[in-house]
């Protein structure tokens, strides 16, 4: 089955540690996205990538980094510079940056202790 | 960017129709109206989108006002599985990113 996988579903880290969230898709989509969601809020865009080896900052990129070395993978690193990293992180992809449908993964809930 | 306004929450009874409103008075002529929904502890999923004409698919219908300043997502028979947060989003056809506001939390009562 085609889709997007994110792992792990729950992640706990100590304050001051960097942590990398995985996102993989087998939909052959060019564009991929990372969003952050806080309780009771909508989604906010962290980073997006329109094509391999290229990515752009979204609205809240500070304290995060990404890479796009392969079409199917778009990992997100939450660095120690991110002041409030505890949140629900969602990865999505679309056939292109102009695609009208984004497909979302199940999300990773990160808790920093 | 044109913005949308949705009620924070709505309730419906099971097996009854649900009309979820969205106001977008500053919509431009090239903005498409998209609806996504997010079930608890899951990622959002696409529901429907349209430009000017009303649209129907297997999940829902989208009714767009003639002046395009508002739209309504219609679930014809609500089920318990339709309980979710529904997002109304404006986006130009190509290139822009989606902006997900707080949406409308729909509760379905048995």
């Amino acid at each position: 089955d085609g889709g997007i996988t994110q792992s792990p579903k729950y992640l706990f880290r100590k304050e001051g540690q960097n942590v990398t969230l995985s996102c993989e898709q087998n939909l052959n989509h060019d564009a991929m996205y990372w969003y952050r969601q806080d309780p009771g809020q909508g989604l906010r865009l962290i980073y997006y990538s329109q094509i391999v080896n290229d990515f752009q900052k979204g609205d809240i990129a500070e304290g995060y980094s990404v890479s796009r070395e392969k079409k199917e993978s778009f990992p997100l690193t939450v660095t120690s510079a991110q002041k409030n990293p505890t949140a629900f992180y969602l990865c999505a992809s679309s056939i292109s940056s102009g695609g009208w449908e984004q497909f979302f993964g199940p999300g990773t809930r990160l808790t920093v202790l | 960017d044109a913005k949308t306004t949705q009620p924070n929450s709505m309730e419906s009874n099971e097996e009854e129709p649900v009309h979820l409103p969205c106001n977008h008075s500053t919509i431009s002529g090239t903005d498409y109206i998209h609806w996504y929904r997010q079930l608890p502890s899951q990622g959002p999923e696409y529901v429907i989108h349209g430009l000017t004409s009303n649209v129907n698919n297997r999940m829902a219908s989208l009714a767009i006002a003639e002046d395009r300043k508002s739209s309504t997502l219609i679930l014809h028979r609500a089920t318990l599985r339709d309980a979710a947060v529904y997002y109304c989003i404006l986006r130009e056809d190509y290139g822009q990113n989606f902006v997900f506001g707080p949406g409308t939390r729909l509760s379905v009562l048995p």
Side-chain angles (χ1 to χ4, degrees):
Chain A
D1 287 337
I4 300 178
T5 56
Q6 291 184 244
S7 60
K9 190 168 178 63
Y10 298 96
L11 189 56
F12 296 88
R13 279 295 182 269
K14 290 184 179 178
E15 194 171 344
Q17 289 181 334
N18 290 356
V19 60
T20 298
L21 281 58
S22 165
C23 177
E24 303 277 331
Q25 54 99 358
N26 61 2
L27 300 167
N28 201 33
H29 285 173
D30 282 323
M32 296 187 74
Y33 310 81
W34 273 105
Y35 293 90
R36 168 185 171 134
Q37 186 173 35
D38 293 290
Q41 306 295 313
L43 282 65
R44 292 184 290 170
L45 183 65
I46 306 173
Y47 267 98
Y48 63 101
S49 168
Q50 296 176 324
I51 201 165
V52 175
N53 293 322
D54 182 62
F55 49 83
Q56 286 83 40
K57 292 181 180 180
D59 300 321
I60 56 164
E62 186 175 348
Y64 299 98
S65 66
V66 293
S67 63
R68 187 85 187 277
E69 296 175 2
K70 297 188 295 183
K71 188 175 186 177
E72 57 271 21
S73 178
F74 190 40
L76 173 75
T77 297
V78 184
T79 75
S80 57
Q82 169 48 235
K83 291 187 172 57
N84 186 17
T86 295
F88 188 45
Y89 290 88
L90 288 155
C91 179
S93 71
S94 62
I95 193 164
S96 68
S97 61
W100 48 263
E101 183 174 356
Q102 287 193 359
F103 294 81
F104 284 82
T108 292
R109 194 168 297 279
L110 173 65
T111 302
V112 175
L113 306 171
Chain B
D1 293 336
K3 292 188 177 177
T4 63
T5 304
Q6 299 177 253
N8 290 334
S9 62
M10 291 183 64
E11 270 188 5
S12 173
N13 292 320
E14 199 176 7
E15 298 190 5
E16 290 187 355
V18 182
H19 291 235
L20 296 162
C22 181
N23 287 320
H24 28 79
S25 58
T26 59
I27 191 171
S28 73
T30 53
D31 282 333
Y32 279 72
I33 303 160
H34 297 257
W35 283 83
Y36 278 71
R37 74 178 186 181
Q38 185 175 19
L39 278 64
S41 298
Q42 295 187 26
E45 62 176 349
Y46 167 82
V47 177
I48 202 167
H49 80 288
L51 182 62
T52 55
S53 304
N54 294 344
V55 184
N56 300 298
N57 66 20
R58 63 175 179 80
M59 287 182 72
S61 296
L62 177 59
I64 301 173
E66 198 168 331
D67 62 6
R68 301 212 322 128
K69 294 186 176 181
S70 65
S71 60
T72 302
L73 179 71
I74 302 166
L75 307 179
H76 296 285
R77 284 185 69 212
T79 69
L80 297 178
R81 289 178 296 177
D82 291 322
V85 177
Y86 287 79
Y87 300 99
C88 170
I89 303 164
L90 300 183
R91 180 174 176 256
E92 287 185 301
D93 183 31
Y94 212 86
Q96 280 188 339
N97 293 313
F98 287 96
V99 177
F100 289 80
T104 295
R105 182 173 298 277
L106 175 66
S107 301
V108 180
L109 306 176

